[in-house]
Amino acid sequence: MQFSLTKTAGLVALAFAAGLGISAVSQVQPITLQDLKPFDPPAKEPMVITPGAKLGDASSDAIRLFDGKDLSGWKSLRDGSEAKWTVKDGYFEVMPRTGDIATKQEFGDCQLHIEWATPSVVKGEGQGRGNSGIFLMGHYELQVLDSFQNKTYFHGQAGSIYKQHAPLVNASRQPGEWQTYDVIFQSPRFDEQGKPTRFARMTVLHNGVLIQNNSQIYGETFNDKPALYLKHPNKGPLKLQDHGDLVRYRNIWVRPL
Ligand code: MG
């Protein structure tokens, strides 16, 4: 009785699977321990570094891009001269209409820590409120915007990869308060013809909250046309945007990966 019941159930299952066009033989192979490689430890020992004294402080292997005193590590992108943004009390501020600024040093894959604040005096709305931007390699914008009770298109708010990915959540602090971005960036690679062989990727924590989870970047973050990859070297400067608003920055450091 037991046998015939089982047999009947099996036949019904087979007929059902055949009706759905499913092969009766499973294609899924279980993962065995032997498949999990590598088994041996890497030959190279991880470098010993000293972490920052507190979260957000630069570690001993980080490159500080602003010492709180001057913008000697930066240049104006308008003409390559010294950056003309205002330096005050340990931070610097966009000097409207002087143009974007960029680091003299160039980076590819990296970890970036950067702190920013939009004006405490709220002015304008949407994209016109506390707008700036952090361009990895000078090409891929992580949006800086006052997104505290300020609606705009979702892939253009603070923490978006501009016009490509909205942040997972809106973790914005109030206008005038200091905010942090911690970024892990993978640079793109190109073949001889300029076709991307590896897409850029970005993971971002905004004020300690994950807002971009290894997001794949579709190309240059244009404002007025769809994203597109344009071949560039494996390293590029970090660029900050002059969008005409008095956005401030401080405590910027990079760890090339
Ligand atoms: Mg912007």
Side-chain angles (χ1 to χ4, degrees), residues 20-92:
L20 290 175
I22 300 168
S23 165
V25 180
S26 171
Q27 299 297 309
V28 180
Q29 297 296 319
I31 294 170
T32 66
L33 277 178
Q34 283 74 27
D35 295 327
L36 301 172
K37 295 171 184 168
F39 187 71
D40 296 321
K44 194 173 164 224
E45 184 183 1
M47 188 169 73
V48 176
I49 60 129
T50 309
K54 61 180 195 314
L55 212 58
D57 287 355
S59 53
S60 61
D61 61 339
I63 299 167
R64 285 185 179 79
L65 295 175
F66 176 59
D67 63 1
K69 297 186 186 75
D70 65 67
L71 284 170
S72 56
W74 300 73
K75 62 184 175 187
S76 165
L77 276 180
R78 191 161 283 174
D79 55 9
S81 64
E82 293 304 304
K84 290 167 190 71
W85 293 11
T86 318
V87 180
K88 278 185 229 171
D89 307 329
Y91 65 84
F92 64 88

Side-chain angles (χ1 to χ4, degrees), residues 131-133 141 143-144 241 243:
N131 194 335
S132 182
E141 184 182 12
Q143 175 70 307
V144 169
Q241 184 185 47
H243 203 281

Side-chain angles (χ1 to χ4, degrees), residues 124-129 145-152 157:
E125 58 184 310
Q127 292 290 308
R129 184 186 298 180
L145 193 76
D146 175 359
S147 282
F148 187 84
Q149 297 173 357
N150 177 35
K151 292 280 185 212
T152 186
Q157 66 184 66

